[in-house]
Amino acid sequence: MNPIDLIVTVCAVLSPATCEEQHLVFNWSGSLQQCAMAAPPYIAQWVGEHPKWTAVRWRCEYPHTNDRAGTDGKPPAA
């Protein structure tokens, strides 16, 4: 099993225009598409633990796919 980032866009229940991305990491052995199809139970659990938020969309990515290496080969400092 490999770690996968489940990136969930959540919006505040009382202010639907207030949205942010939450990164949930879990082990997954399938494809990214299969991950996205299997994600609803994980998302439901997260929303159940965070009732002020509602999930509006999600996607799966391999961790660190958006990092860019610096000239020394290390990821940039945040």
Side-chain angles (χ1 to χ4, degrees), residues 24 39-50:
L24 311 176
Y42 297 100
I43 296 167
Q45 179 181 350
W46 189 93
V47 169
E49 295 168 358
H50 302 85

Side-chain angles (χ1 to χ4, degrees), residues 2-8 22-28 42 46 61 63-64:
N2 297 316
I4 295 283
D5 275 338
L6 172 58
I7 302 161
V8 183
Q22 292 291 322
H23 291 250
L24 311 176
V25 178
F26 62 100
N27 288 323
W28 185 255
Y42 297 100
W46 189 93
E61 292 182 357
H64 309 293

Side-chain angles (χ1 to χ4, degrees), residues 4-5 9-10 12 15-16 24 27-28 36 38 50-51 55 59-60 66-67:
I4 295 283
D5 275 338
T9 302
V10 295
S15 179
L24 311 176
N27 288 323
W28 185 255
H50 302 85
R59 68 185 186 278
C60 295
N66 292 328
D67 288 350

